[in-house]
Amino acid sequence: MDLLIYLALIPTLGVVAQWIAWRTGLPGILLLLLFGVLLGQFVQPDAFLAELTGGDAAKAGPELLFPIVSLSVAVIMFEGGLSLKFHELREAGGAAFRLVTLGAVITFFGTAAAAHFTLGLAWPISFLLGAILIVTGPTVIGPLLRQVRPTRRVASTLKWEGIVIDPIGAVLAVLVFENVLVHSSEPDLGSALFMLTKTIVVGMGLGCAGGAFLSTAFRRYWVPDQLHGIGTLSVGLLLYAISNHLAHESGLITVTVMGIWLTNQHHFDIEHIVELKENLRTLLIGCLFIVLGSRVVIDDVTAQGWHGILFLLLMIGIIRPISVFVSLWKSPLNWREQAFVASLAPRGIVAAAVSSVFALELERRSGSFDLAGSDQLATVTFLVIVGTVAVYGLAASPIAKLLGLADEKTNGILMVGADSWVRDFAEELTEVGVPVTLVDTNYNKVSQARVAGLRAECMNILNEHARQDLSIAGIGRFLAMTPNDEVNSLALRECRGMFESAQLYQLNFTVKNTSSRREMTRNLVGRQLFREGLTFSKIRELHQSGAVFKATKLTDSFTYADFIRRYNEVPELLCVVQSDGIPLLNTVSDPLKPEPGQTIVCLVTSVPLPQEHVAMDPEKKKDPKKTLDPEKKSDPQINTPEPS
């Protein structure tokens, strides 16, 4: 295969796999690994690189590949650090600390024992594998949390554990390798403590120094805006390399600490930096899993047989639950939350990269070690990654719903704005089973909403700290409906990370001339609600004139056309609620076409016509003497609004 085609094929496969995962709800990491394995049946990266460079396939591939893998992992860990907010520690700090200390120790020894007795690995190799597999990782935890959407405390706990445990596992693996394998004949506790202290000091010192330097440089405008993202990336990679040079595997600590420093400072906005790192992370995760998956030999994995399956079952069903329940005993997390944490510990790219690095090192020193299982390190790790991602990825959502920690539906709506007509609209949606949360800065409007039985918060949606405290469990749509178009647009931009772009809606205040230079460009606004011309001011005017919001269920005998005819062709369709409770908003670009079985929510501006009116039955035009069946004079499905 041509090198250019190979380099272009890898990111393409990565994007395709993640797109399929998005469409099907399957774990993205699992699909990436499967794509990688399939690619490996046609092109082995080690042999391919060796052929290009004219080197040995056993050395040329790893020598060229793993520096790139190492730097890519650094970028992923840095992005993970950028997502760790100190305010989350109020709820999750104690539990996360227990998991990465006592829980990690239990996992380390439990995994080592399981590897020795089930796989027959020598004790030194078992301890090395135990150190590598204590990690979980942001590459797999993050996507699963976005898919499951558990309660905030559980999500924060798992996120902190997944990111912080990665450098801990890498450092522990180095200590085990140096003191259990290299110096097994004369282990030195003092040397091990010195190495650990050096790694922590170098990693945290360079991480804090990098964060402080970048904060100062950006705050004092030493760096132009267009260099913020790439400048941060280059500094992070340089410090990662320097840190690893000074103390092996301390670079992961460096980039994680630097990310935490930057995201928790309040002197300048880092949203553009975070956005760049998120895009890079998505690209790198796809490429890394496909490349590393293509290096795996299927025969080596299947050779593990039932011993490998037993080892995997012990890790999932015994070791993880014990480590969680013991470490979180008498913690703030209740038993349901602990049970969910115990049922989610997938391994990711850090485990794959670290195991591959040590597998390469063991190959280099093959003459120095004669230990059972030294050639199975990467294979067993790959088996654990595939197995845990598959099991946890498929079971996480059902378990969360069974434990009551995640809403089965995300049919709720978050409305920004709480004017009188917005409150009435929210009440009507609530009555048909659509949860609504109102947000407004006006306390009187919020109070009236609460009196009406609605969930309402008095806060500024543009305040970052207020958004962090706002619970959006079960909410999947965002409606910006304040009387200020600029506030609406800014609110949409600030909440892009909380909702999919397809679920961001905005209601214009008045009819806009999009060609006017005084108006905002289209890319700054969300999906325009309702129909052209039905604006905030128009709805407010109709509402003040006596129009009411009305929910009506359509049937085969009473269709939307019948409803329109009943109200003299003047009702405004706002929303449709499907039989499963999912609301569909009417928009200018995608007008709804209601069908029987759905519940429509309309703004009704006229008194319904009586059944005996000629407009209700066109046949009466032909026979004016035709009378209506008395039993059909009223429609039980329609609640006639009283005239104002």
Side-chain angles (χ1 to χ4, degrees):
M1 180 181 291
D2 184 72
L3 177 61
L4 182 61
I5 296 178
Y6 182 74
L7 294 177
L9 182 62
I10 290 175
T12 302
L13 289 176
V15 172
V16 170
Q18 294 180 79
W19 180 82
I20 294 175
W22 170 70
R23 293 292 297 177
T24 61
L26 295 172
I29 305 301
L30 180 60
L31 290 176
L32 288 170
L33 287 173
L34 292 178
F35 272 44
V37 171
L38 291 176
L39 178 63
Q41 304 307 305
F42 302 96
V43 182
Q44 270 284 339
D46 294 33
F48 185 58
L49 292 174
E51 181 181 348
L52 291 174
T53 59
D56 182 5
K59 295 183 179 180
E63 291 286 355
L64 295 174
L65 185 61
F66 284 110
I68 300 175
V69 172
S70 183
L71 290 176
S72 300
V73 171
V75 175
I76 294 171
M77 291 301 300
F78 178 52
E79 194 277 335
L82 287 173
S83 67
L84 296 180
K85 303 285 188 178
F86 283 148
H87 73 86
E88 296 173 342
L89 294 178
R90 291 177 298 186
E91 291 183 332
F97 178 77
R98 294 186 184 193
L99 288 172
V100 300
T101 51
L102 179 58
V105 171
I106 296 174
T107 303
F108 169 61
F109 286 105
T111 303
H116 176 73
F117 291 110
T118 60
L119 300 176
L121 304 184
W123 277 114
I125 301 297
S126 297
F127 281 121
L128 180 59
L129 182 64
I132 294 172
L133 293 182
I134 70 170
V135 304
T136 53
T139 59
V140 281
I141 288 292
L144 284 178
L145 291 179
R146 284 192 292 271
Q147 176 185 340
V148 178
R149 300 184 71 176
T151 58
R152 184 169 55 191
R153 181 163 65 178
V154 172
S156 298
T157 300
L158 287 167
K159 184 173 68 173
W160 272 88
E161 179 204 12
I163 295 174
V164 173
I165 198 66
D166 278 353
I168 292 177
V171 172
L172 181 59
V174 172
L175 293 176
V176 171
F177 184 82
E178 293 292 335
N179 291 274
V180 178
L181 284 170
V182 178
H183 304 292
S184 58
S185 58
E186 45 183 18
D188 187 352
L189 181 60
S191 176
L193 291 176
F194 173 76
M195 184 183 300
L196 176 61
T197 303
K198 178 183 177 182
T199 302
I200 294 174
V201 170
V202 170
M204 296 195 66
L206 288 179
C208 292
F213 169 74
L214 290 173
S215 298
T216 303
F218 295 156
R219 187 176 69 250
R220 298 190 177 184
Y221 306 105
W222 294 346
V223 182
D225 291 351
Q226 67 267 24
L227 292 181
H228 281 191
I230 195 66
T232 302
L233 176 63
S234 61
V235 170
L237 294 178
L238 178 61
L239 291 179
Y240 172 80
I242 294 175
S243 182
N244 269 359
H245 179 73
L246 297 176
H248 193 42
E249 294 300 333
S250 63
L252 292 180
I253 300 177
T254 297
V255 292
T256 303
V257 170
M258 191 171 80
I260 294 174
W261 182 293
L262 289 176
T263 197
N264 287 283
Q265 56 76 39
H266 303 291
H267 299 294
F268 62 92
D269 183 25
I270 64 167
E271 180 181 357
H272 54 303
I273 298 175
V274 173
E275 186 173 358
L276 172 64
K277 299 301 181 293
E278 287 178 344
N279 292 331
L280 277 176
R281 179 199 63 180
T282 303
L283 175 64
L284 292 175
I285 288 175
C287 294
L288 288 178
F289 271 100
I290 285 181
V291 170
L292 295 179
S294 65
R295 297 185 71 248
V296 175
V297 180
I298 297 298
D299 292 340
D300 292 342
V301 177
T302 56
Q304 301 297 324
W306 69 268
H307 298 280
I309 296 176
L310 178 60
F311 174 69
L312 185 62
L313 293 177
L314 288 175
M315 291 201 64
I316 295 175
I318 303 295
I319 298 172
R320 176 63 176 180
I322 290 177
S323 67
V324 169
F325 287 119
V326 172
S327 59
L328 296 184
W329 185 58
K330 291 188 176 180
S331 71
L333 272 65
N334 58 45
W335 72 268
R336 292 183 296 110
E337 293 170 326
Q338 293 181 26
F340 182 72
V341 173
S343 65
L344 194 65
R347 273 60 176 182
I349 192 64
V350 174
V354 173
S355 66
S356 299
V357 169
F358 284 109
L360 174 62
E361 192 65 26
L362 288 173
E363 289 179 13
R364 287 174 175 171
R365 306 190 184 195
S366 57
S368 304
F369 303 117
D370 186 18
L371 299 172
S374 59
D375 58 340
Q376 302 179 37
L377 192 64
T379 302
V380 174
T381 303
F382 178 81
L383 174 65
V384 172
I385 291 173
V386 173
T388 55
V389 168
V391 173
Y392 292 132
L394 296 175
S397 291
I399 291 176
K401 294 173 183 177
L402 180 64
L403 296 172
L405 298 177
D407 293 322
E408 296 188 11
K409 298 179 180 179
T410 56
N411 63 330
I413 296 176
L414 176 62
M415 294 184 182
V416 178
D419 285 64
S420 176
W421 74 264
V422 176
R423 297 195 300 270
D424 287 352
F425 181 37
E427 281 190 71
E428 199 68 24
L429 287 172
T430 303
E431 289 183 6
V432 294
V434 179
V436 178
T437 298
L438 298 177
V439 172
D440 202 296
T441 56
N442 188 304
Y443 185 74
N444 289 330
K445 295 178 182 178
V446 172
S447 298
Q448 293 180 56
R450 291 175 177 173
V451 169
L454 296 170
R455 180 188 173 193
E457 300 290 341
C458 186
M459 56 172 281
N460 190 336
I461 195 64
L462 302 180
N463 187 307
E464 178 183 3
H465 302 290
R467 291 198 306 273
Q468 292 169 353
D469 294 333
L470 180 65
S471 175
I472 60 171
I475 295 178
R477 291 152 189 81
F478 181 89
L479 275 61
M481 298 195 296
T482 75
N484 189 308
D485 289 328
E486 284 72 23
V487 170
N488 289 340
S489 295
L490 186 56
L492 287 172
R493 292 181 65 83
E494 291 297 317
C495 295
R496 285 179 300 179
M498 302 165 61
F499 302 92
E500 293 286 341
S501 58
Q503 306 302 338
L504 296 174
Y505 302 87
Q506 179 174 350
L507 180 63
N508 289 338
F509 180 69
T510 57
V511 176
K512 300 294 181 182
N513 180 5
T514 55
S515 62
S516 173
R517 297 179 64 181
R518 294 181 298 170
E519 305 302 337
M520 291 179 293
T521 55
R522 184 65 188 87
N523 65 299
L524 296 179
V525 298
R527 302 178 67 183
Q528 187 176 343
L529 280 170
F530 310 139
R531 66 164 177 82
E532 195 73 47
L534 189 60
T535 62
F536 182 99
S537 55
K538 179 65 174 178
I539 296 177
R540 182 174 60 184
E541 176 185 340
L542 294 172
H543 186 257
Q544 291 174 348
S545 301
V548 297
F549 296 95
K550 185 172 190 57
T552 304
K553 185 172 183 179
L554 303 179
T555 64
D556 292 330
S557 59
F558 188 82
T559 65
Y560 183 58
D562 296 329
F563 180 84
I564 293 294
R565 194 163 56 250
R566 166 64 65 88
Y567 284 92
N568 202 21
E569 300 185 357
V570 292
E572 299 285 359
L573 178 63
L574 307 180
C575 172
V576 163
V577 182
Q578 300 182 115
S579 57
D580 58 0
I582 301 297
L584 303 176
L585 280 303
N586 197 28
T587 62
V588 173
S589 58
D590 296 301
L592 296 176
K593 297 179 180 179
E595 300 176 355
Q598 297 177 332
T599 299
I600 58 174
V601 179
C602 298
L603 180 64
V604 179
T605 58
S606 67
V607 177
L609 297 175
Q611 286 280 5
E612 61 271 15
H613 195 280
V614 67
M616 297 300 295
D617 191 352
E619 293 295 327
K620 292 182 181 179
K621 295 180 181 179
K622 302 178 182 179
D623 185 8
K625 297 181 180 181
K626 184 179 180 180
T627 58
L628 186 71
D629 187 346
E631 295 181 359
K632 296 184 179 179
K633 289 185 179 181
S634 62
D635 191 332
Q637 298 176 359
I638 306 296
N639 297 322
T640 304
E642 296 184 6
S644 58

